[in-house]
Amino acid sequence: MRSLLLAALLLPLAAQAAEQPADKALIERGKYLSRAADCVACHSIEGGAEYAGGLPLVSPFGTIYGTNITPDKEHGIGDYSAEEFYKAVTQGERKDGGKLYPAMPYTSYHLLKREDSDAIYAYLMSLEPIAKPSPKTDLAFPFNVRFGMTFWNMLYKNRVQLEPADGKGEEWQRGQYLVEVLGHCGECHTPRNALGALQQDLRMTGGVILGYEAPSLLAKDLAERGWTTDDLSTFLKHGISDQGSVFNEMYPVLHHSTQYLPQDDHRAMATYLLGEEPPAPRKIAAVAEAELGESAARGRQDYLNVCAGCHGVAGEGVPHVAVAMNGNTTLRLADSRNLLRVIDDGIREQQFTGFERMQPMPGFRDKLDDGQMRDLLNYLRQTWGGLEAEVSPERVTELRGEVLSSH
């Protein structure tokens, strides 16, 4: 009798002990998935607690703020059930029935697997609650009327669909889920219409965010800019490759998300984007000075004056200081929007994985007039970008006016 009583007392404890490893494994998987879904980048501010919200997300319609998704019951998601969390993430609907704005990419997350949502929920609920209210969204009328999202959702909510995977390998399929759903890459790399909805017929052909171009991720365009599967895998892991380094909005993606993913994920994403039989990368030979156009020839002197000290006279770059111009993917973009803005704005110091880093690059907005900027752009494009077409004076003025209006 005594042994039976002891067994009855120990049985619940044994069952509880057996459950704990599974719970821990679920939380660890949720941590990995939250990295892959890049949740922290939009739900944190620099120097603040992770997932406590407050990040301003600027849109053409006003400013939306990343919300607190810690387990705080008043300001976070502490009162959400796993079902309510899944509905918010995949359908854009809060616990109280209010509609979320699509700055939260439920337009891609609607394809999220339920078990993955539950794992992310378990991880978030394991965090320390942060009692921090989220700033109030500031949108212009009529976009500030959340009820209007009901009609927007009817038109656009579930338009993102996965390409059929028939005949594709496991690695490609894994990459598709990471890129299209968890990583929601199309939310930035796809143009939007006047109502802020993704233009699905132009999916992954590139978009413009805060004055910068999120370039096309189509395989043919990646290959045109010199990308290989190995280089793209390296870029996703380390933030730097022979094609240059991440900057602007891609830097937080690396910093909070892709650097933490296993190498198999980087390879899968690159395989999906470039294909199982990737197109051959376009190789470019530097153009001799004598072959430059008139504007580009003038731009060589501007390059020597303001760029060569760090990037090298021959565009070779300096390790841990400045990326090379020779082979740089930004120079190969048909529209020199990003190149102009980087030169004007500069880039803050960047810390990549391991010991890799890049020193800050100053901006030259006040040092180069429109004519000098045009000449410099044409020199860079023609010398190392493989582009013959020249940037017009009107385009430089237009881009600089657009940039200045956003400051």
Side-chain angles (χ1 to χ4, degrees):
M1 177 67 73
R2 188 175 299 174
S3 61
L4 288 174
L5 180 60
L6 182 61
L9 291 172
L10 291 177
L11 187 60
L13 295 176
Q16 183 179 2
E19 290 176 3
Q20 285 178 351
D23 292 342
K24 184 177 180 180
L26 182 66
I27 290 171
E28 281 300 310
R29 176 161 174 76
K31 182 178 181 179
Y32 153 72
L33 289 167
S34 71
R35 292 290 191 189
D38 201 21
C39 303
V40 71
C42 290
H43 291 279
S44 312
I45 57 174
E46 189 173 351
E50 289 191 345
Y51 302 105
L55 182 75
L57 304 169
V58 181
S59 78
F61 315 107
T63 303
I64 302 166
Y65 291 88
T67 55
N68 184 336
I69 54 172
T70 72
D72 184 75
K73 290 185 178 295
E74 182 178 359
H75 303 295
I77 60 170
D79 281 336
Y80 275 65
S81 66
E83 176 65 30
E84 289 164 341
F85 177 78
Y86 178 69
K87 192 171 184 179
V89 169
T90 61
Q91 302 301 316
E93 187 170 321
R94 301 183 310 201
K95 178 183 173 71
D96 62 6
K99 305 299 181 183
L100 295 174
Y101 291 109
M104 208 295 288
Y106 59 85
T107 44
S108 294
Y109 286 163
H110 79 93
L111 296 167
L112 188 69
K113 298 173 185 176
R114 176 59 192 266
E115 59 266 30
D116 288 348
S117 173
D118 288 349
I120 294 172
Y121 172 79
Y123 168 65
L124 293 175
M125 296 302 283
S126 75
L127 301 175
E128 182 73 23
I130 306 293
K132 176 187 173 185
S134 300
K136 188 176 180 180
T137 290
D138 182 21
L139 298 182
F141 180 82
F143 306 105
N144 59 345
V145 181
R146 287 185 183 267
F147 180 73
M149 289 304 303
T150 301
F151 304 102
W152 192 96
N153 286 335
M154 289 173 61
L155 292 171
Y156 302 118
K157 182 176 66 174
N158 295 332
R159 289 187 68 189
V160 175
Q161 296 295 331
L162 297 182
E163 174 189 342
D166 299 340
K168 302 294 185 181
E170 184 178 339
E171 185 176 55
W172 186 96
Q173 294 182 48
R174 174 66 180 162
Q176 182 186 50
Y177 187 65
L178 285 163
V179 168
E180 299 282 7
V181 184
L182 285 171
H184 56 278
C185 304
E187 300 284 335
C188 290
H189 291 270
T190 300
R192 294 179 181 269
N193 65 20
L195 294 178
L198 297 171
Q199 299 183 51
Q200 286 304 110
D201 56 330
L202 298 174
R203 185 157 185 81
M204 292 293 194
T205 60
V208 175
I209 305 172
L210 300 178
Y212 281 84
E213 178 183 358
S216 169
L217 296 183
L218 298 181
K220 64 179 181 63
D221 295 329
L222 287 168
E224 180 68 18
R225 302 199 304 272
W227 288 104
T228 67
T229 303
D230 287 342
D231 288 338
L232 190 53
S233 299
T234 297
F235 190 75
L236 291 169
K237 172 60 179 177
H238 300 291
I240 189 167
S241 67
D242 290 342
Q243 289 76 10
S245 65
V246 298
F247 60 90
N248 194 41
E249 296 301 306
M250 266 303 293
Y251 183 72
V253 175
L254 168 83
H255 186 67
H256 296 297
S257 177
T258 61
Q259 68 167 316
Y260 295 102
L261 304 184
Q263 185 174 350
D264 288 349
D265 281 357
H266 302 135
R267 187 78 186 182
M269 294 170 75
T271 297
Y272 170 68
L273 289 170
L274 279 164
E276 293 176 309
E277 296 182 5
R282 182 187 176 203
K283 296 183 179 180
I284 296 175
V287 173
E289 184 179 353
E291 300 175 35
L292 297 173
E294 185 178 337
S295 171
R298 291 195 303 267
R300 173 174 168 76
Q301 188 58 54
D302 293 310
Y303 178 80
L304 294 174
N305 290 343
V306 300
C307 309
C310 292
H311 294 285
V313 173
E316 68 274 21
V318 178
H320 310 299
V321 174
V323 296
M325 295 293 94
N326 192 8
N328 193 291
T329 190
T330 301
L331 276 57
R332 301 194 192 194
L333 292 170
D335 186 350
S336 286
R337 168 187 295 275
N338 288 359
L339 187 55
L340 179 146
R341 186 143 193 184
V342 163
I343 295 170
D344 263 352
D345 292 357
I347 303 176
R348 58 192 291 187
E349 181 181 0
Q350 296 172 298
Q351 183 67 50
F352 302 120
T353 58
F355 297 104
E356 191 61 72
R357 65 179 181 83
M358 285 291 148
Q359 72 174 21
M361 172 183 164
F364 296 95
R365 185 192 312 277
D366 299 328
K367 297 178 176 64
L368 298 170
D369 62 29
D370 284 7
Q372 290 172 311
M373 174 59 79
R374 178 197 176 220
D375 293 342
L376 177 57
L377 293 177
N378 285 329
Y379 175 72
L380 292 168
R381 286 162 55 92
Q382 291 182 24
T383 304
W384 294 296
L387 300 171
E388 295 181 4
E390 290 194 344
V391 180
S392 69
E394 294 77 16
R395 183 57 176 160
V396 170
T397 301
E398 178 187 0
L399 285 173
R400 277 192 144 175
E402 177 185 312
V403 168
L404 288 172
S405 67
S406 68
H407 278 63

